[in-house]
Amino acid sequence: TQLLEQSPQFLSIQEGENLTVYCNSSSVFSSLQWYRQEPGEGPVLLVTVVTGGEVKKLKRLTFQFGDARKDSSLHITAAQPGDTGLYLCAGTSTDSWGKLQFGAGTQVVVTP
Amino acid sequence: SQTIHQWPATLVQPVGSPLSLECTVEGTSNPNLYWYRQAAGRGLQLLFYSVGIGQISSEVPQNLSASRPQDRQFILSSKKLLLSDSGFYLCAWSDGGGNIQYFGAGTRLSVL
């Protein structure tokens, strides 16, 4: 079983600050996804990365997949209160087709 | 476009009562279907997944069961609920590739 460890578990920042969330594993993943979840709702897909070293940008969000495809990071620039939520990383590997392994999540709170 | 419906949104049940949560997907055919449970503010634990009608795989031993009577219908059931069955239950679907999953809005189950 591949384990995805997310850090930090909780992050509280002021509006306008930057933040980075990390997702690490000792296993190689064929792809990795980032989701954001708000209270009482299902997770919503933000991005998928599949190539080692890949960097994707989604407005103020930057996602990076590690060269060895074992880790990923999510960086938010100039955070806004609307960025508040639980950020989850999830990965798939070649021997777990169709199944996602989720990290425990990082709770981000952005205060005005 | 594809949509996923999950109901009810909230459910309060006494210990020992039966359970039936329903999930349906529209706009796609032969999806992979998943049931997850999520502890408060934490990651998702895969309970069941299905690659076709009548095909159910269980990931963890538990008091729950799943069924897929139709291509786009997935049901989570229990004959007798336990206190430990309380939680947030999420249904998800993916296409044949299986790596990207789309989630329903979830059901908050409280067993009293």
Side-chain angles (χ1 to χ4, degrees):
Chain A
T1 302
Q2 298 84 12
L3 293 178
L4 280 169
E5 296 184 355
Q6 285 190 241
S7 61
Q9 291 186 0
F10 182 81
L11 195 55
S12 180
I13 61 171
Q14 296 283 333
E15 182 176 3
E17 294 181 340
N18 302 332
L19 69 96
T20 302
V21 176
Y22 300 93
C23 179
N24 296 295
S25 175
S26 59
S27 302
V28 175
F29 289 92
S30 56
S31 70
L32 198 139
Q33 291 79 39
W34 284 94
Y35 292 81
R36 180 170 64 212
Q37 183 180 21
E38 299 190 13
E41 299 181 7
V44 176
L45 180 69
L46 296 175
V47 76
T48 298
V49 286
V50 296
T51 304
E54 182 177 5
V55 177
K56 282 191 174 179
K57 292 190 176 183
L58 185 66
K59 296 183 180 179
R60 293 177 293 100
L61 279 61
T62 302
F63 305 86
Q64 185 165 5
F65 202 13
D67 291 341
R69 291 185 288 137
K70 293 182 177 181
D71 55 270
S72 180
S73 64
L74 158 60
H75 183 79
I76 301 179
T77 303
Q80 299 176 359
D83 295 324
T84 293
L86 180 68
Y87 288 83
L88 296 158
C89 67
T92 57
S93 61
T94 54
D95 61 351
S96 63
W97 184 93
K99 294 192 290 183
L100 286 175
Q101 179 70 43
F102 277 86
T106 295
Q107 182 64 53
V108 172
V109 176
V110 183
T111 54
Chain B
S1 63
Q2 300 88 1
T3 56
I4 179 169
H5 303 280
Q6 197 179 332
W7 69 93
T10 305
L11 190 60
V12 180
Q13 292 285 95
V15 169
S17 63
L19 172 73
S20 181
L21 302 181
E22 189 162 343
C23 172
T24 59
V25 181
E26 296 177 357
T28 187
S29 60
N30 196 31
N32 294 339
L33 296 172
Y34 309 83
W35 277 111
Y36 291 88
R37 179 166 55 205
Q38 183 178 29
R42 305 306 290 163
L44 281 63
Q45 179 187 38
L46 180 63
L47 302 177
F48 301 95
Y49 72 96
S50 171
V51 299
I53 296 174
Q55 300 179 59
I56 309 294
S57 295
S58 175
E59 289 295 293
V60 294
Q62 60 200 303
N63 184 43
L64 302 168
S65 62
S67 62
R68 185 171 178 173
Q70 301 181 42
D71 181 44
R72 289 169 289 178
Q73 183 185 30
F74 206 23
I75 297 172
L76 184 68
S77 304
S78 174
K79 293 182 179 178
K80 290 184 178 182
L81 284 169
L82 306 173
L83 287 173
S84 57
D85 292 324
S86 295
F88 191 53
Y89 290 85
L90 288 157
C91 179
W93 75 273
S94 68
D95 62 17
N99 291 342
I100 299 175
Q101 296 181 17
Y102 302 93
F103 288 84
T107 295
R108 173 72 58 193
L109 172 65
S110 298
V111 182
L112 306 177

